[in-house]
């Protein structure tokens, strides 16, 4: 653990870059809290799907999410994701949620509601690592250290396929197409599009293993506050 860090590390970037595993490891190394904002949008998507609402129906989606109780934990070593008291930590990673989450998260009132919740969780921590798509640009524009994690599309597809246990070329190709579709959707939405903050440091993980990325982010986080490893 690298003690002494106080502040916020934002880790933004597209799917398949390893944000979640990197952010958890960085939080552990820094002795910081950890917040996966993507899990919050996926939990909201579970609520929408369970309500039988079309994810493309923005008004209906807004109504469902407004009435849902979404909870996420901030401990790096434990994954807590609940909707109305029900554990959905495994379900949020499934294909059904993945297909629908971009549409749900594009609804402005959904984003406002969850951003307020995210900021409240961050305020409660002296040190925190927050990962998502608009953390450095919208949620925490004054964060101590902003990282934008990226990787070549092929590498991202292979990593996500390995996580999901997909092995055939057809499965990997379909996953790559789905990643491209989500990138385009998230980058072109009007509210909080996916893009690096102007003052973010871009870290390309294409040719780095997870530990290499973690080392780099920890180094950047500590240097942003003048703390030496």
């Amino acid at each position: 653990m690298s003690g002494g860090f106080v502040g916020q590390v934002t880790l933004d970037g597209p799917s398949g870059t390893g944000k979640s595993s990197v952010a958890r490891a960085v939080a552990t190394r820094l002795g910081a809290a950890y917040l996966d904002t993507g899990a919050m949008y996926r939990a909201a998507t579970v609520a929408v799907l369970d309500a039988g609402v079309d994810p493309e129906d923005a008004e209906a989606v807004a109504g469902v999410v407004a009435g849902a109780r979404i909870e996420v934990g901030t401990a790096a070593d434990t994954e807590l994701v609940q909707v109305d008291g029900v554990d959905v930590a495994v379900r949020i990673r499934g294909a059904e949620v993945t297909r629908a989450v971009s549409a749900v998260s594009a609804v402005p009132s959904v984003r406002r509601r969850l951003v307020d919740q995210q900021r409240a969780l961050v305020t409660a921590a002296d040190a925190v690592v927050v990962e998502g798509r608009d953390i450095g640009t919208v949620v925490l524009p004054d964060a101590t250290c902003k990282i934008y994690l990226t990787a070549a599309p092929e590498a991202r597809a292979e990593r996500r396929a390995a996580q999901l246990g997909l092995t055939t070329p057809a499965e990997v190709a379909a996953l790559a197409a789905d990643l491209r579709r989500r990138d385009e959707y998230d980058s072109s939405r009007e509210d909080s599009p996916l893009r690096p903050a102007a003052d973010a440091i871009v870290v390309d993980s294409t040719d780095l293993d997870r530990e290499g990325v973690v080392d780099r982010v920890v180094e950047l986080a500590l240097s942003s506050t003048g703390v030496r490893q």
Side-chain angles (χ1 to χ4, degrees):
M1 179 183 296
S2 298
F5 177 80
V6 175
Q8 306 89 31
V9 177
T10 66
L11 195 61
D12 290 310
S15 295
T17 54
K19 290 195 306 294
S20 294
S21 61
V22 168
R24 284 183 182 277
V26 169
T28 298
R29 291 263 296 269
L30 295 176
Y34 161 75
L35 178 58
D36 178 358
T37 64
M40 299 177 77
Y41 289 103
R42 286 175 174 269
T45 302
V46 167
V48 169
L49 294 173
D50 284 353
V53 164
D54 181 354
E56 300 287 346
D57 184 341
E59 184 175 353
V61 165
V64 170
V65 176
R69 180 162 52 90
I70 295 169
E71 298 177 80
V72 296
T74 57
D77 60 352
T78 305
E79 185 167 27
L80 171 65
V81 187
Q82 296 184 343
V83 176
D84 295 328
V86 177
D87 182 357
V88 296
V90 174
R91 188 178 168 197
I92 62 171
R93 306 301 174 186
E96 182 184 27
V97 171
T98 296
R99 285 191 296 268
V101 65
S102 286
V104 171
S105 61
V107 178
S109 64
V110 170
R111 300 201 71 83
R112 288 193 296 271
R113 182 179 184 85
L114 295 186
V115 166
D116 285 346
Q117 189 172 343
Q118 291 157 18
R119 287 173 175 159
L121 290 169
V122 168
T123 299
D126 292 329
V128 63
V129 178
V130 188
E131 59 135 318
R133 279 168 153 70
D134 65 342
I135 312 306
T137 54
V138 175
V139 181
L140 299 172
D142 298 320
T144 313
C145 178
K146 300 180 185 178
I147 307 295
Y148 189 86
L149 187 60
T150 187
E154 298 79 8
R156 292 165 51 209
E158 290 175 1
R159 290 169 185 171
R160 181 55 58 86
Q163 290 175 347
L164 298 176
L166 305 178
T167 57
T168 70
E171 289 175 324
V172 176
L175 183 57
D178 185 61
L179 288 175
R180 287 193 297 271
R181 177 195 60 78
R182 189 172 178 199
D183 288 349
E184 182 176 356
Y185 199 125
D186 291 350
S187 298
S188 60
R189 68 188 178 213
E190 293 184 9
D191 194 329
S192 306
L194 169 66
R195 59 179 175 82
D199 54 347
I201 299 170
V202 177
V203 175
D204 190 325
S205 68
T206 302
D207 298 319
L208 294 173
D209 60 15
R210 195 196 71 157
E211 286 309 307
V213 179
V214 171
D215 287 344
R216 177 60 174 151
V217 175
V218 168
E219 176 188 14
L220 292 168
L222 293 176
S223 66
S224 70
T225 60
V227 177
R228 294 184 179 180
Q229 296 192 64

